[in-house]
Amino acid sequence: MVSLSKNKNTIYMAYLGWFIVTLFYFYQYILRVAPGVLVTDLRFAFRLTADEFATLGSYYLYAYALFQIPLGFIVDCVGVRKTVLASITLCIAGAYLFSTSQVFWTLQLSRIMVGLGSACAFMCALKLVVDSFPMGKRGFLMGATLTLGTVGALVAGKPLALLSEAVGFRQAINDVAILGLFILIITFVLLPKPKKENLIPLTKALPKHLWASLLDVFKSRPIMLYAILAVAVYTPLSVLADLWGVAFLMQKYALGRVDAAKISMMMYLGLGIGCLTLPWLSEKYHYLNRSIRLSACAVLVLFGLLLYGPILSQSMLMVLLTLLGIFCGAEMLCFTGAGQYTHTYNVGITLGVVNTLNMLGGGLLQQLIGFGLDQFWDGKVDEAGLRMYTTANYTLVLSILMIVITICCLLSLRLPKDSVVKNKD
């Protein structure tokens, strides 16, 4: 009887720990997409060109991506609790700096701080799932983590735009920082301490182990192929939903900022659906690689319709972006595919490398689009003196994404036939 009660308590604590870290993942998504929602305010307050504004998204992604691999070892060595507490604190500090910045470089620094702080959220949630739950429950909880996290992006759409219009963007972000304080307190009080057996002891052999694991991953052609394909299905979400979607929709579809923010965030609703359904269907029918090919082609068609197609009604536009988000959920399939070719000792490193390349690709394309808009700018400014970019400018520059996605669709033909591949020993 005592053993049964103890087992129930262990399960309860495992779910509680997972939920708390997922709550942090939800929170960091609000901070992640905030610049895209506040594009008008930020460009006016700091007199930003498109290239300068793009750094607010790309610097976040650079910091997030480059910290993935070392962070994996930090989490394994010191545990989830200490890592998450430090990360939430860094996110809060970054949000506060964002709300008080008077010069552009401190605004950029705030985005780097938030990127570094956000980097551990998804990884820590996955580590808790792997450490605490049996195989039968892991897949669903991993998908649910990403799905619940994307709700944060939905919250950061129309509500954040309305809050900014009511109290100003600085107070709106300051309120988001205060929300982070509540999450920090909840985490400090309720997040369980890690078990010692789940931590890696710090030894002199650790750096050598890290280097050997990295070399194995980068030498693996299948892993690198899946990493490139992840970029193809992820970048439309990164470029549109995270940064340029609101501005593009306002220009092409003559929408107000609030409506554009609400519609842009529908991609995250689709992502939440896709991250649950696509892995489940591909595993049930053993169609992993075929699902990746289909998703990449669907992303190409849907993004092309958004970019080159006729003006759609708001309801049709919401359907289109939701479908685009669903097929962007194939990003999780690419992680699964890469995991098939890992050794038992470098699974974490493999996923860290794939995520690093994935985020770096998104950041580079975000900044490249901002640079391209400035290069094709025709010299017109609005009544506030800010540069005006036409629908033709956006269409031309966003065509870079069409080229990237097309190349990756062709590369997907090099994926092997679907089969069950066992992890190496």
Side-chain angles (χ1 to χ4, degrees), residues 258-312:
V258 172
D259 288 334
K262 178 185 69 175
I263 293 172
S264 176
M265 292 303 111
M266 294 306 294
M267 287 190 67
Y268 279 113
L269 175 63
L271 179 67
I273 297 171
C275 286
L276 284 177
T277 57
L278 291 178
W280 176 74
L281 289 171
S282 66
E283 287 183 355
K284 182 177 181 179
Y285 297 104
H286 304 290
Y287 283 171
L288 177 68
N289 292 333
R290 274 177 278 189
S291 296
I292 293 173
R293 290 192 198 100
L294 173 63
S295 297
C297 292
V299 168
L300 179 67
V301 172
L302 292 169
F303 187 70
L305 181 59
L306 176 69
L307 202 58
Y308 308 119
I311 301 297
L312 302 173

Side-chain angles (χ1 to χ4, degrees), residues 209-232:
H209 171 71
L210 170 60
W211 181 246
S213 298
L214 281 174
L215 286 179
D216 282 346
V217 172
F218 280 107
K219 287 179 180 178
S220 172
R221 289 187 177 182
I223 292 176
M224 290 297 99
L225 178 57
Y226 282 114
I228 293 171
L229 293 174
V231 173

Side-chain angles (χ1 to χ4, degrees), residues 223 338-344 346-347 350-351 422-425:
I223 292 176
Q340 291 179 333
Y341 293 89
T342 63
H343 297 277
T344 54
N346 69 356
V347 174
T350 299
L351 299 180
K422 296 182 179 180
N423 284 5
K424 300 176 183 178
D425 295 327

Side-chain angles (χ1 to χ4, degrees), residues 108-339:
Q108 293 174 312
L109 176 61
S110 75
R111 295 300 293 167
I112 294 173
M113 292 170 64
V114 172
L116 290 173
S118 299
C120 86
F122 189 59
M123 180 184 295
C124 286
L126 295 193
K127 178 172 173 58
L128 285 178
V129 169
V130 172
D131 288 345
S132 306
F133 296 95
M135 286 297 295
K137 295 184 178 180
R138 290 179 186 176
F140 174 79
L141 287 173
M142 287 180 180
T145 300
L146 189 53
T147 298
L148 292 174
T150 56
V151 175
L154 295 173
V155 169
K158 185 174 181 178
L160 185 58
L162 289 172
L163 182 62
S164 176
E165 291 187 355
V167 300
F169 84 91
R170 294 186 186 278
Q171 184 58 47
I173 295 298
N174 192 58
D175 290 344
V176 174
I178 293 172
L179 174 62
L181 283 175
F182 285 104
I183 295 175
L184 179 64
I185 294 170
I186 292 171
T187 303
F188 180 80
V189 174
L190 297 178
L191 187 62
K193 294 181 179 179
K195 298 177 182 178
K196 290 185 178 180
E197 59 265 28
N198 290 334
L199 302 179
I200 296 177
L202 295 172
T203 65
K204 293 182 179 180
L206 196 58
K208 185 178 180 180
H209 171 71
L210 170 60
W211 181 246
S213 298
L214 281 174
L215 286 179
D216 282 346
V217 172
F218 280 107
K219 287 179 180 178
S220 172
R221 289 187 177 182
I223 292 176
M224 290 297 99
L225 178 57
Y226 282 114
I228 293 171
L229 293 174
V231 173
V233 294
Y234 167 77
T235 47
L237 185 84
S238 172
V239 169
L240 289 178
D242 285 1
L243 199 66
W244 289 111
V246 174
F248 170 68
L249 294 178
M250 288 173 65
Q251 178 60 40
K252 179 172 180 177
Y253 291 90
L255 298 172
R257 183 177 64 171
V258 172
D259 288 334
K262 178 185 69 175
I263 293 172
S264 176
M265 292 303 111
M266 294 306 294
M267 287 190 67
Y268 279 113
L269 175 63
L271 179 67
I273 297 171
C275 286
L276 284 177
T277 57
L278 291 178
W280 176 74
L281 289 171
S282 66
E283 287 183 355
K284 182 177 181 179
Y285 297 104
H286 304 290
Y287 283 171
L288 177 68
N289 292 333
R290 274 177 278 189
S291 296
I292 293 173
R293 290 192 198 100
L294 173 63
S295 297
C297 292
V299 168
L300 179 67
V301 172
L302 292 169
F303 187 70
L305 181 59
L306 176 69
L307 202 58
Y308 308 119
I311 301 297
L312 302 173
S313 65
Q314 288 194 28
S315 58
M316 288 301 298
L317 193 56
M318 292 174 72
V319 171
L320 175 63
L321 289 177
T322 301
L323 288 172
L324 185 57
I326 288 174
F327 287 107
C328 285
E331 175 194 9
M332 295 298 291
L333 300 180
C334 296
F335 279 88
T336 302

Side-chain angles (χ1 to χ4, degrees), residues 98-109:
F98 189 99
S99 70
T100 58
S101 292
Q102 299 298 324
V103 292
F104 185 50
W105 73 265
T106 59
L107 196 67
Q108 293 174 312
L109 176 61

Side-chain angles (χ1 to χ4, degrees), residues 328-397:
C328 285
E331 175 194 9
M332 295 298 291
L333 300 180
C334 296
F335 279 88
T336 302
Q340 291 179 333
Y341 293 89
T342 63
H343 297 277
T344 54
Y345 61 81
N346 69 356
V347 174
I349 289 292
T350 299
L351 299 180
V353 168
V354 174
N355 206 24
T356 295
L357 297 177
N358 195 18
M359 290 293 182
L360 279 178
L364 288 170
L365 284 166
Q366 281 185 353
Q367 196 157 1
L368 182 60
I369 287 167
F371 174 79
L373 285 172
D374 282 337
Q375 293 301 305
F376 293 107
W377 175 54
D378 59 10
K380 294 181 180 179
V381 296
D382 61 16
E383 61 275 7
L386 298 177
R387 295 185 178 187
M388 295 177 61
Y389 306 103
T390 65
T391 300
N393 292 151
Y394 281 108
T395 302
L396 179 61
V397 176

